[in-house]
Amino acid sequence: MAREMDGKVAVVTGAGSGIGRAIAEKLAQAGAMVAVADINLAGAEQVAQAIVAAGGRAVGVAMDVADEAAVDEAIDGIAAKHGSVDVLVSNAGIQIVDPIVEFKLADWRKILAIHLDGAFLTTRAALRHMYRGKRGGVVIYTGSVHSHTASPLKCAYVTAKHGLLGLARVVAKEGAEHGVRSYVVCPSFVRTPLVDKQIPEQARDLGISEEEVVRKVMLGETVDGEFTTLDDVASTVLFLSAFPSAAFTGQSFLLTHGWVMH
Ligand code: NAD
């Protein structure tokens, strides 16, 4: 039976863990050859091996998304070996929480480098292949509920996640004539290592218990007190990767349990 992503080559950054891993697995289950890219090569290789063991196609690739030469080399290498890049999921990210007055410039730069330089560099490298022969493609950014709203302690993260909306819109405009579409998926909290690390940090900074961080800070604005799931995000990415027209291009998709609705 034909699957939605048969014959497609997908690059997913930050795919050695959490949301990126779930996206890589979902795209592979739908037939894509997936380059599992991560700064942590061992993690990426482990995910790629799990995909292959489950009958899919995947390779682990070392990539620091904030390193221009590393990104170009990795994406050019994937395209040379596998034919092109049809889907880029720019997902790698980190979180650092602190009040603005205590936020270190080095931490601000680190977040912007990974989220924004990383999105730009991977996009630029992938578009060069997608534009070739008008093959086209899909670029998806992992935004956040914080692409559309703000929370205390997250000045750099909120700034970066808002920035992705702008980049996606420019990709939609410039890419259209080349058959390229772009999207931002915007989840509320998903239980991953990135979130688990924040719970004690936020409890310390806000002077509340870890249970209150989860119930009030992370889920308090949702309509049902539920986390968004890995599968919610991965299924949305698959839907957008396979969608047959440019009807939604440039838009963001909120998966926030009613926290933010547009
Ligand atoms: P995670 O920590 O589980 O995974 C992030 C991955 O990115 C790790 O494997 C890490 O090694 C990799 N990475 C970090 N820096 C990198 C770099 N410079 N180059 C390449 N890879 C790098 O986190 P996650 O929760 O799965 O987050 C993935 C994305 O989802 C991030 O962009 C995050 O902001 C976003 N997001 C997460 C949530 C959530 O609640 N977990 C909600 C909304 C958005």
Side-chain angles (χ1 to χ4, degrees):
M1 204 180 74
R3 292 170 296 174
E4 302 102 300
M5 301 303 291
D6 279 338
K8 301 290 185 191
V9 177
V11 178
V12 185
T13 71
S17 172
I19 292 173
R21 176 180 186 146
I23 292 169
E25 290 173 347
K26 182 69 82 176
L27 294 177
Q29 282 159 15
M33 204 307 294
V34 182
V36 177
D38 205 290
I39 196 167
N40 170 9
L41 179 60
E45 283 182 333
Q46 211 181 358
V47 171
Q49 279 161 16
I51 289 173
V52 171
R57 296 172 62 216
V59 286
V61 177
M63 187 198 293
D64 175 355
V65 296
D67 179 333
E68 181 176 20
V71 168
D72 286 346
E73 192 186 328
I75 291 195
D76 290 350
I78 293 158
K81 191 151 179 230
H82 301 284
S84 188
V85 175
D86 299 298
V87 176
L88 166 68
V89 185
S90 170
N91 167 81
I94 60 163
Q95 179 62 282
I96 299 170
V97 292
D98 250 331
I100 295 175
V101 289
E102 288 164 25
F103 216 92
K104 295 182 189 68
L105 179 60
D107 287 343
W108 169 271
R109 287 188 171 142
K110 193 171 174 192
I111 289 209
L112 265 51
I114 294 172
H115 289 268
L116 288 181
D117 296 4
F120 162 67
L121 290 171
T122 52
T123 299
R124 189 181 65 177
L127 288 182
R128 289 173 177 152
H129 298 285
M130 292 176 180
Y131 284 5
R132 203 166 287 151
K134 291 214 186 265
R135 184 179 171 112
V138 175
V139 179
I140 300 179
Y141 302 97
T142 305
S144 164
V145 66
H146 289 111
S147 298
H148 291 276
T149 189
S151 294
L153 310 178
K154 297 189 172 175
C155 59
Y157 187 84
V158 169
T159 301
K161 290 301 191 189
H162 275 66
L164 293 175
L165 300 177
L167 178 60
R169 290 172 186 152
V170 177
V171 173
K173 297 262 181 187
E174 287 189 15
E177 66 180 289
H178 305 277
V180 172
R181 298 154 194 168
S182 70
Y183 310 100
V184 188
V185 291
C186 297
S188 53
F189 283 94
V190 182
R191 244 3 237 267
T192 67
L194 179 138
V195 165
D196 287 337
K197 179 171 169 285
Q198 274 177 67
I199 294 171
E201 291 172 358
Q202 291 219 32
R204 183 200 61 216
D205 285 351
L206 297 170
I208 57 178
S209 71
E210 294 191 14
E211 188 272 328
E212 283 174 307
V213 170
V214 172
R215 188 166 44 82
K216 293 187 181 160
V217 178
M218 297 189 162
L219 304 176
E221 300 277 336
T222 65
V223 295
D224 54 6
E226 297 282 345
F227 281 99
T228 296
T229 67
L230 291 170
D231 197 60
D232 292 333
V233 184
S235 297
T236 305
V237 168
L238 174 58
F239 168 76
L240 294 170
S241 299
F243 198 77
S245 80
F248 299 131
T249 195
Q251 294 198 62
S252 67
F253 293 77
L254 288 151
L255 296 86
T256 67
H257 285 251
W259 177 351
V260 174
M261 303 182 214
H262 280 175

